[in-house]
């Protein structure tokens, strides 16, 4: 029975990975689930961060909010300091500044751009990283 569960989990993860790579958005939950606009419990939206249109798709089609709102990628605990300035760990969500090695330079005319155009300037390499 243990071997069957292990194989089923491996198949599930392979299928989910393939679906994400193909541009699909996955709703994932495990264990007890909370419900409400600001709950965090045991649920995630999984999508390809390398897809430049994904933020807009998630905001408009899944979250039903303005397309410019950001999403934060999840990273392994041991890699947190590689990508951000976080110097402490917590069981809660934290957002840190992106380390300079992963930032893109802003366009020379950034300060004079209209607000909505500023929102769509690519500011980090994360959208380019394909895992």
């Amino acid at each position: 029975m243990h071997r069957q569960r292990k194989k089923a989990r491996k198949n599930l993860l392979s299928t989910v990975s393939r679906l994400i790579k193909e541009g699909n958005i996955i709703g994932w939950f495990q264990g007890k689930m909370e419900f409400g606009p600001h709950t965090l419990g045991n649920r995630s939206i999984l999508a390809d961060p390398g897809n430049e249109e994904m933020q807009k798709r998630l905001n408009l089609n899944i979250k039903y909010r303005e397309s410019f709102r950001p999403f934060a990628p999840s990273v392994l605990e041991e890699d947190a300091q590689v990508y951000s300035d976080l110097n402490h760990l917590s069981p809660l969500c934290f957002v840190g500044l992106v380390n300079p090695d992963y930032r893109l330079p802003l366009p020379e005319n950034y300060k004079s751009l209209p607000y909505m155009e500023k929102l769509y300037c690519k500011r980090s390499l994360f959208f380019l990283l394909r895992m």
Side-chain angles (χ1 to χ4, degrees), residues 46 49 72-86 88-90 92-99 102 126 129 131:
L46 306 176
S74 297
V75 298
L76 295 173
E77 184 176 300
E78 57 266 23
D79 293 336
Q81 290 183 319
V82 171
Y83 301 114
S84 73
D85 67 349
L86 293 177
H88 65 283
L89 300 175
S90 169
L92 302 174
C93 296
F94 279 95
V95 176
L97 292 175
V98 173
N99 279 340
Y102 294 94
F126 290 118
L129 298 175
M131 304 299 173

Side-chain angles (χ1 to χ4, degrees), residues 23-25 51 53-62:
N24 292 284
I25 299 168
N51 182 328
E53 295 298 313
M54 192 55 68
Q55 177 183 347
K56 292 176 197 172
R57 281 183 57 206
L58 286 167
N59 278 328
L60 294 172
N61 301 323
I62 305 297

Side-chain angles (χ1 to χ4, degrees), residues 112-130:
S112 65
L113 289 174
Y115 180 71
M116 289 304 286
E117 285 186 41
K118 286 182 182 179
L119 295 172
Y120 291 108
C121 287
K122 292 175 178 60
R123 303 191 61 164
S124 77
L125 292 174
F126 290 118
F127 74 94
L128 297 172
L129 298 175
R130 290 267 182 202

Side-chain angles (χ1 to χ4, degrees), residues 34-51:
E34 298 174 329
F35 183 80
H38 300 290
T39 58
L40 298 172
N42 300 320
R43 61 189 174 89
S44 299
I45 296 172
L46 306 176
D48 180 1
N51 182 328

